[in-house]
Amino acid sequence: MTETTELAEFRQDIRDWLAENCPPDLRDGNLEDDNVCWGGRDWVFQSDSQRDWLHRCAERGYTVPTWPRAYGGAGMDRAREKIFREEMDRINARLPLQSFGIWMLGPAVLAFGTEDQKQDLLPPIARGEVRWCQGYSEPGAGSDLASVQTRGEDRGDHWVVNGQKIWTSYANKADRIFALVRTDSDAPKHKGISFLLIDMDQPGVTTRPIQLISGKSPFCETFFDDAIVPKAQIIGEVNRGWDVAKHLLTHERESISGGLTGMGGVPSLGRYLKEELGEISDPVLRADVMRAEVDAMAIRLTLERYADQAEDGQGAGDASAMLKYVATEFNKRRQELLMTAGGAAALDWDGDTGGRPGDWLRSKANSIEGGTSEIMLGIISRRILGLPG
Amino acid sequence: MLSDAARAFLDDKAPVAQLRALRDAGRSHDAGLWAEMAGMGWAGILIAEDQGGVGMGHAAAGVLAHEMGKTLVASPFLSTAVIAATALGQVADARARSALGQIAAGDLTYAIALQEGRKFAADSAGVTATPDGNGFRLTGAKGFVVDGGAADRLLVLAQSDQGPTLFDLPCDRDGLSITGRAQIDARDAADLRFDAVPVSGDEVLGDAGQGLAILAPALRAGQAALAAEQLGLATGAMEMTVGYLKDRQQFGRPIGSFQALQHRAARLWCEIEVTSSAILNAGRALDETPDMAEVAVSLAKARATATATLAVQEGVQMHGGIGVTDDYDMGFYMKRARVSAEWLGDYGYHAQVIARAGGF
């Protein structure tokens, strides 16, 4: 399809701006968590160009291109956002900023926050000034997330929060946490949860990192011992936090699937293996790679199709469970094939820096985090196929 | 919407019971049904308006094939309206234009005589075309000629001195013997023998030696539409299965309340969703960038073959005993899925097209 003149001009503008403003040393396509700016009060820029890149993008709303301009975004529709991303990819630009504020809290505030909250919370996320983490799972509340037991006790103008969260990514580096907290123990489990915004920098909050089979991880346990939360620090109504959480979980599923398969970003597995290791001579591996190639292409088209529908105002909704399921199960398959292709050379443990075995082991969590594959299939069977619960 | 109109018509005129009735009557073709489809413009879906068609394109042809697949509609749509119409459209000389007009009107049906061995190959030209006066004589055999039993004319790929050449000849030509196959899907298919069959020079479609170039886009169009039919088949089988899971009671409750079956059904739904993206993509590619559509089409056919196969296997399993009885329709889905998996290239054929294009 040919672009309209308007979009073609937009593309040219973006291309020109990027050419002038994206620091050359950040055009290396490096999207590893450790090499992208996460922002926050304690963030130490890894280079001057990382700082400049963030500031230049934030000034134009490019850290959160689809958010409204009033809240620090660039107000792009999906067609423009797609062009923006394509132009970023074209020069292999690193993202200027990534964070749970951008992926998770921002969308929740846009959907459920008051006008004051939007103005207070969103611009600092867009500028990378406040780093958020997510407090959902607990040791006793995994797949059964609505059974969270972290408790918020009403003390008039504030809550006192006690309990424990787990799988809180980067909790040890975050300024604040958005958390599901039980504020009514007598109500049915979905009706007594509030979505609270808690400062990490207070005596009642401590964190401890979790070591994974893949090595070091961003995951932490987070402990609340009489943590103080002012009453204004809540998104949505008291005891209606599950509505916000559900909305965010849908969002999370879509971003996990999108992030894994990439909107056209993942190179062909077959071509990659041929370039890295030469002709795939093992006919069994070759057949597996061919099947994976077929599925990867179809999954990528599916993610694009749902993204296009979202542009037309039609969110994936319950179908996000399908996107999450197929993308994460596929990534595990892909990682297994990479390990098989690598053979003995792929067996070296290279400390905590990941590498191929690290990616392979880390992929095992893909179909668990953000809702297990089995939970996804349950959502599909009940809400889409209408099978009895 | 085209799909709604097609669905309403097919539910009325061509439910699975219609295929069953044809089979039980020992027939594989319903000329009356095809005439009605032609009356709605389906036979001319890919034929330009100035040639008597409706010229709606490949995505629209896919929509029709998808709806036909849901109830296993037996018709010469793919052979005639998609493959032959695309091949004739490549040439568009006076004779081809006249044939296109007759196809669009529902007055002419075609079958494609290509395959020669057990497996599909886009360049099967073991039939020889020996020069004879101003024309040729065709000698050899073709098999698995879909719609070959009832078609009026054939497109035959044969080897002439100039290379693979496509011939367009009537089915009642001397020396040509057509043997109907009793194929598992109860649809029309035939084996052909050519014993020095005379063809005139005018019956070469396009130029001698250009057969593959003319046939390739036609096969791609056919593969994409067949993939859409397979997706429809998978959807039909899944809907029947999900309905059964809600109705069938065991252990005092609907079997669809058991998680083991819920997850099987949900997984199948995911596969169908992912495959539908590949089908839409192939139709779009054929309409917008036909010269670059090869991978998109092979992706659609590979995915649809795998998904249809899964859908019928899961369908039978989740139905339990009734799923393997002939009284129940699921078996018809399984048989058509097997035939459609083979026709125009199976999973492995198309996966290799994709691998070659991907450079590995």
Side-chain angles (χ1 to χ4, degrees):
Chain A
M1 259 190 306
T2 48
E3 259 166 34
T4 62
T5 321
E6 210 182 332
L7 289 180
E9 277 171 19
F10 176 79
R11 184 184 292 279
Q12 192 58 50
D13 287 349
I14 294 289
R15 192 173 291 187
D16 293 344
W17 186 86
L18 287 173
E20 195 165 327
N21 289 281
C22 182
D25 57 319
L26 299 188
R27 300 182 193 187
D28 58 358
N30 195 325
L31 295 174
E32 295 293 316
D33 276 3
D34 290 345
N35 293 305
V36 173
C37 176
W38 286 77
R41 280 197 287 269
D42 299 330
W43 183 259
V44 179
F45 287 103
Q46 292 158 325
S47 63
D48 287 351
S49 46
Q50 191 183 57
R51 184 197 56 221
D52 294 345
W53 181 221
L54 171 63
H55 289 162
R56 287 172 195 164
C57 284
E59 202 174 301
R60 311 254 312 188
Y62 290 168
T63 57
V64 283
T66 60
W67 292 11
R69 289 175 193 276
Y71 310 131
M76 289 185 203
D77 56 19
R78 169 150 154 80
R80 285 177 172 74
E81 187 214 8
K82 193 167 172 226
I83 289 171
F84 178 72
R85 294 204 184 289
E86 283 167 1
E87 290 302 315
M88 291 274 285
D89 287 348
R90 206 178 58 83
I91 62 164
N92 283 320
R94 291 192 200 177
L95 287 174
L97 178 69
Q98 64 183 9
S99 73
F100 293 97
I102 293 175
W103 297 324
M104 321 273 320
L105 182 63
V109 172
L110 283 168
F112 293 92
T114 63
E115 184 55 37
D116 282 351
Q117 286 175 326
K118 289 176 191 173
Q119 291 186 14
D120 285 351
L121 296 169
L122 298 178
I125 293 173
R127 293 193 297 263
E129 292 165 1
V130 173
R131 184 169 180 178
W132 288 87
C133 65
Q134 181 194 51
Y136 273 23
S137 299
E138 297 179 4
S143 287
D144 184 12
L145 182 61
S147 70
V148 289
Q149 292 303 319
T150 294
R151 222 162 284 274
E153 201 184 314
D154 191 333
R155 295 282 178 83
D157 64 343
H158 66 276
W159 285 283
V160 171
V161 174
N162 282 284
Q164 181 192 347
K165 293 290 177 184
I166 194 168
W167 308 121
T168 41
S169 302
Y170 296 113
N172 51 346
K173 295 176 178 173
D175 304 311
R176 307 191 71 192
I177 183 169
F178 50 95
L180 299 181
V181 175
R182 188 156 302 283
T183 42
D184 183 349
S185 308
D186 300 326
K189 68 178 179 180
H190 295 93
K191 307 276 185 189
I193 298 169
S194 296
F195 191 97
L196 301 188
L197 311 178
I198 306 175
D199 277 324
M200 299 293 280
D201 186 18
Q202 58 171 307
V205 181
T206 50
T207 63
R208 193 170 71 83
I210 299 171
Q211 179 93 357
L212 294 186
I213 54 174
S214 47
K216 255 189 200 148
S217 89
F219 290 120
C220 293
E221 294 176 283
T222 300
F223 303 90
F224 300 101
D225 298 299
D226 291 338
I228 305 295
V229 184
K231 278 287 175 70
Q233 299 301 315
I234 182 171
I235 301 295
E237 291 171 39
V238 177
N239 295 329
R240 299 300 300 272
W242 187 248
D243 298 342
V244 184
K246 257 196 332 198
H247 176 84
L248 265 191
L249 288 171
T250 304
H251 207 80
E252 182 179 21
R253 291 198 287 268
E254 288 174 41
S255 69
I256 288 176
S257 50
L260 282 177
T261 316
M263 303 301 284
V266 174
S268 150
L269 178 62
R271 204 174 323 159
Y272 172 80
L273 289 177
K274 185 173 177 185
E275 281 164 13
E276 293 285 303
L277 307 168
E279 206 71 52
I280 308 169
S281 55
D282 171 3
V284 176
L285 176 63
R286 186 173 168 74
D288 285 348
V289 170
M290 281 178 170
R291 286 180 185 279
E293 194 82 16
V294 167
D295 292 342
M297 292 169 81
I299 290 169
R300 215 173 297 144
L301 288 168
T302 305
L303 293 168
E304 285 169 9
R305 179 160 67 89
Y306 274 90
D308 287 343
Q309 282 178 13
E311 164 61 11
D312 299 337
Q314 216 183 324
D318 294 328
S320 66
M322 176 272 298
L323 300 178
K324 203 266 177 185
Y325 171 73
V326 297
T328 57
E329 291 294 337
F330 178 77
N331 194 45
K332 289 196 295 186
R333 228 172 106 196
R334 179 183 161 85
Q335 292 295 337
E336 286 293 336
L337 289 173
L338 284 165
M339 288 299 283
T340 304
L347 300 179
D348 290 331
W349 180 256
D350 44 8
D352 286 323
T353 57
R356 184 158 290 175
D359 289 348
W360 163 66
L361 289 163
R362 181 62 183 81
S363 74
K364 301 306 174 195
N366 293 161
S367 52
I368 299 168
E369 58 203 339
T372 64
S373 286
E374 289 68 30
I375 292 289
M376 297 304 111
L377 293 174
I379 289 170
I380 292 163
S381 71
R382 282 192 309 282
R383 299 201 203 137
I384 293 176
L385 300 180
L387 293 173
Chain B
M1 292 265 289
L2 181 62
S3 60
D4 296 333
R7 189 70 266 139
F9 170 79
L10 294 171
D11 280 342
D12 181 33
K13 296 291 172 64
V16 184
Q18 195 251 0
L19 176 65
R20 178 186 291 276
L22 282 176
R23 183 201 66 174
D24 292 349
R27 296 167 56 209
S28 58
H29 177 63
D30 180 348
L33 179 66
W34 179 239
E36 285 194 67
M37 292 181 180
M40 291 186 296
W42 295 8
I45 192 88
L46 292 178
I47 297 170
E49 286 182 76
D50 62 6
Q51 291 169 16
V54 294
M56 290 175 72
H58 296 277
V63 168
L64 292 179
H66 182 237
E67 294 304 328
M68 290 187 220
K70 286 182 186 169
T71 47
L72 308 177
V73 178
S75 86
F77 178 75
L78 291 176
S79 302
T80 299
V82 177
I83 305 175
T86 304
L88 291 162
Q90 300 292 310
V91 178
D93 56 17
R95 221 176 41 75
R97 289 172 68 92
S98 151
L100 286 168
Q102 287 177 270
I103 287 175
D107 295 335
L108 181 63
T109 59
Y110 269 89
I112 316 303
L114 175 62
Q115 192 160 328
E116 290 169 358
R118 286 194 305 275
K119 288 289 179 180
F120 170 84
D123 57 356
S124 297
V127 168
T128 55
T130 318
D132 180 31
N134 287 334
F136 301 85
R137 283 190 180 265
L138 303 181
T139 303
K142 295 281 185 182
F144 192 23
V145 178
V146 172
D147 299 319
D152 301 312
R153 296 183 72 88
L154 293 170
L155 294 182
V156 184
L157 188 69
Q159 191 70 36
S160 73
D161 289 345
Q162 288 94 336
T165 301
L166 207 51
F167 294 90
D168 176 352
L169 63 150
C171 287
D172 57 1
R173 183 62 53 88
D174 286 347
L176 170 60
S177 53
I178 298 177
T179 311
R181 291 162 62 109
Q183 206 163 264
I184 52 173
D185 64 347
R187 303 264 286 256
D188 182 7
D191 292 327
L192 272 47
R193 272 210 64 78
F194 298 82
D195 292 313
V197 173
V199 287
S200 72
D202 287 348
E203 287 171 330
V204 171
L205 187 63
D207 295 322
Q210 294 302 307
L212 295 182
I214 298 166
L215 195 55
L219 290 175
R220 280 202 289 276
Q223 287 153 347
L226 178 57
E229 185 204 302
Q230 290 175 298
L231 177 70
L233 182 156
T235 305
M238 183 197 69
E239 284 173 356
M240 187 186 290
T241 303
V242 169
Y244 188 76
L245 293 179
K246 291 175 185 173
D247 285 346
R248 170 73 170 169
Q249 303 272 331
Q250 288 288 274
F251 304 101
R253 50 187 174 130
I255 59 172
S257 65
F258 296 111
Q259 201 172 48
L261 297 183
Q262 289 182 343
H263 286 192
R264 288 183 92 131
R267 211 169 278 135
L268 174 57
W269 184 83
C270 289
E271 293 298 323
I272 288 174
E273 269 301 292
V274 171
T275 296
S276 70
S277 309
I279 303 302
L280 293 169
N281 181 58
R284 198 166 45 220
L286 285 171
D287 284 334
E288 292 173 9
T289 51
D291 295 340
M292 288 151 56
E294 184 185 39
V295 170
V297 168
S298 281
L299 176 65
K301 181 63 169 70
R303 276 289 314 188
T305 293
T307 302
T309 303
L310 178 72
V312 296
Q313 288 173 354
E314 292 294 279
V316 166
Q317 180 64 24
M318 285 192 265
H319 274 84
I322 197 175
V324 292
T325 63
D326 185 62
D327 278 345
Y328 205 75
D329 286 341
M330 189 54 77
F332 282 82
Y333 283 84
M334 180 163 272
K335 291 165 183 168
R336 177 60 186 169
R338 184 82 277 285
V339 172
S340 60
E342 287 298 323
W343 193 28
L344 302 177
D346 66 3
Y347 184 95
Y349 175 89
H350 289 287
Q352 290 181 68
V353 169
I354 291 168
R356 266 197 307 277
F360 68 94

